[in-house]
Amino acid sequence: MDIVLETADTFLFDHIYAKLFPVPQAVTSLLRASDPSVELLLSLSKNLSLSYIPSEPYEYTVVSAPTTAYLSMIPRTNIVRQSISLFLITWIFGVLLYFLFASLSYFLIFDKRTTNHPKYLKNQMRMEIQQALSSLPLMSLYTVPWFVAEIRGYSQMYWDPNKYGKAYMFLQYPLFIAFTDFGIYLIHRGLHHPIAYKRLHKPHHKWIVPTPFASHAFHPMDGYLQSLPYHIFPFVLPLHKLSYLILFTFINIWTILIHDGEYMTNNPAVNGAACHTVHHLYFNYNYGQFTTLWDRIGGSYRTPEKSLFDHQAKMSKETWKKQASEMEKIVKEVEHEDNRQYLHDDAVEEKKEK
């Protein structure tokens, strides 16, 4: 995240902090008169008895006006400034990524006939978005300590591609997937324990037939806990800084794709949208994130029905009736009562009255 933070500092935060916490006029005058070194600025600070420490030299970005970084009394290395900046970056980037790819998935992939499913909720998509937007700030806040630790050098992230060899530049990707898949399986399955489910995970299972906008619609602590393996990995094994940004983006896109209801693969090793649909319908199966390996080992794997891969069959009333019938039995076991308000409940009641 230091690449992202430095870029954000260069083009945005340096200017904001300089406006809010400007350096004394003497420092500003020197900066405008020359292109000073960090050593010169430190010397000036001591002579003027200022509690001012200039920012470290730039490492990743090409800056047209480097003096901007020196115009604030709160330097880039200040941990409070770093925490606030990283929180804002994580929150804003998360919201933009969520809306961009969830919208693309909804308009280009998601089958709108899904809204006719008997277990589709009233105002579901609006509630999914509301849940996501209310949770993302807190999830971002919980994540900040990990990012701060990373940029302050406590992780094993690296920049030089030759440090661990070119082979590891490719190997780190399957290692990351394997490590996080196992970690999320354990955490996700743990969240289905009755105590954790009731307090944390139940909001995400409100969506029996999710849309892409359900991808980030979690209780904030639930979303954070399931993200922990992603943050732990670079503290355990080396991870290239650019690879981390690529994987961070991929994770968010993958989370959206497994909620879009479009079952593009029936690969028995991949825990894709079909497997995750089974999880939302029947609760106690397919906890994995990327593969079916740990569900198979843990006895929680359920093969998606063949009808899910037939565009006509998966949207048939017969298939939906079968799904709804089994789901109603399971929800009584898991939640004891179903207080969801389904979109088509009123229509069913009207038919019964007639």
Side-chain angles (χ1 to χ4, degrees):
M1 287 296 287
D2 51 355
I3 301 174
V4 174
L5 180 59
E6 187 165 307
T7 303
D9 274 336
T10 301
F11 297 104
L12 179 63
F13 290 125
D14 282 343
H15 301 275
I16 293 174
Y17 286 107
K19 287 285 186 183
L20 296 176
F21 308 99
V23 297
Q25 187 61 42
V27 177
T28 304
S29 299
L30 174 66
L31 290 172
R32 288 174 177 171
S34 63
D35 186 12
S37 65
V38 173
E39 290 75 15
L40 181 59
L41 286 166
L42 280 170
S43 176
L44 177 69
S45 299
K46 289 177 182 178
N47 291 333
L48 295 176
S49 300
L50 301 175
S51 57
Y52 166 64
I53 303 174
S55 296
E56 293 297 321
Y58 298 94
E59 184 176 358
Y60 301 107
T61 56
V62 177
V63 186
S64 57
T67 55
T68 309
Y70 307 139
L71 290 176
S72 173
M73 289 291 292
I74 302 179
R76 290 182 172 192
T77 51
N78 181 279
I79 193 170
V80 176
R81 169 175 166 168
Q82 289 174 337
S83 299
I84 294 171
S85 299
L86 286 167
F87 165 70
L88 292 173
I89 291 168
T90 308
W91 178 19
I92 294 169
F93 181 73
V95 170
L96 292 176
L97 203 64
Y98 167 67
F99 273 116
L100 173 62
F101 289 104
S103 297
L104 287 173
S105 178
Y106 178 78
F107 289 111
L108 301 178
I109 300 174
F110 182 70
D111 193 326
K112 312 305 183 292
R113 292 178 296 171
T114 302
T115 59
N116 294 319
H117 194 288
K119 295 305 177 183
Y120 188 83
L121 305 181
K122 287 183 179 178
N123 304 312
Q124 178 171 317
M125 196 162 67
R126 187 179 72 185
M127 291 192 295
E128 289 171 339
I129 294 172
Q130 287 174 340
Q131 178 70 51
L133 292 182
S134 65
S135 295
L136 282 169
L138 281 174
M139 285 192 279
S140 301
L141 184 64
Y142 299 152
T143 304
V144 164
W146 293 98
F147 289 153
V148 170
E150 288 168 14
I151 66 170
R152 297 182 84 84
Y154 293 101
S155 74
Q156 295 196 53
M157 287 195 190
Y158 66 99
W159 183 246
D160 182 1
N162 297 314
K163 185 173 182 178
Y164 296 99
K166 293 182 180 178
Y168 190 78
M169 286 294 292
F170 295 96
L171 182 61
Q172 63 185 327
Y173 289 97
L175 282 175
F176 181 89
I177 296 297
F179 180 93
T180 56
D181 193 45
F182 174 62
I184 293 171
Y185 172 80
L186 292 178
I187 293 168
H188 192 180
R189 187 156 189 173
L191 285 165
H192 275 260
H193 183 280
I195 295 175
Y197 180 85
K198 182 179 180 180
R199 289 165 174 77
L200 298 177
H201 197 48
K202 187 177 179 180
H204 188 62
H205 272 278
K206 185 173 186 176
W207 333 112
I208 304 301
V209 281
T211 78
F213 291 100
S215 57
H216 293 64
F218 289 93
H219 183 289
M221 183 54 69
D222 179 8
Y224 168 70
L225 288 174
Q226 292 198 60
S227 74
L228 279 177
Y230 304 134
H231 302 299
I232 292 171
F233 181 87
F235 289 87
V236 176
L237 292 169
L239 184 64
H240 192 267
K241 292 180 179 183
L242 185 59
S243 297
Y244 182 77
L245 297 179
I246 293 170
L247 287 165
F248 182 84
T249 305
F250 163 73
I251 289 161
N252 280 274
I253 296 173
W254 178 264
T255 302
I256 290 167
L257 290 177
I258 62 175
H259 289 89
D260 66 12
E262 185 60 32
Y263 317 126
M264 293 182 286
T265 178
N266 193 19
N267 189 314
V270 178
N271 197 338
C275 286
H276 203 66
T277 292
V278 169
H279 178 72
H280 273 268
L281 280 169
Y282 309 128
F283 295 79
N284 298 322
Y285 306 94
N286 302 347
Y287 300 108
Q289 181 74 353
F290 302 113
T291 77
T292 62
L293 174 63
W294 298 107
D295 279 300
R296 292 176 185 277
I297 293 173
S300 53
Y301 177 67
R302 175 165 172 165
T303 306
E305 295 86 352
K306 291 182 179 179
S307 60
L308 294 180
F309 300 94
D310 183 316
H311 279 272
Q312 294 305 317
K314 78 174 184 178
M315 292 293 167
S316 70
K317 290 184 178 180
E318 183 181 349
T319 297
W320 287 351
K321 185 177 179 181
K322 181 182 177 183
Q323 291 172 345
S325 177
E326 185 174 355
M327 169 263 166
E328 287 168 1
K329 294 176 184 177
I330 296 174
V331 79
K332 287 180 181 179
E333 297 174 4
V334 175
E335 299 180 0
H336 305 300
E337 63 176 351
D338 187 1
N339 56 9
R340 297 170 182 81
Q341 291 186 310
Y342 298 104
L343 177 62
H344 304 288
D345 278 353
D346 293 340
V348 172
E349 290 299 320
E350 287 179 7
K351 284 185 178 181
K352 287 182 179 179
E353 290 176 3
K354 290 180 180 179

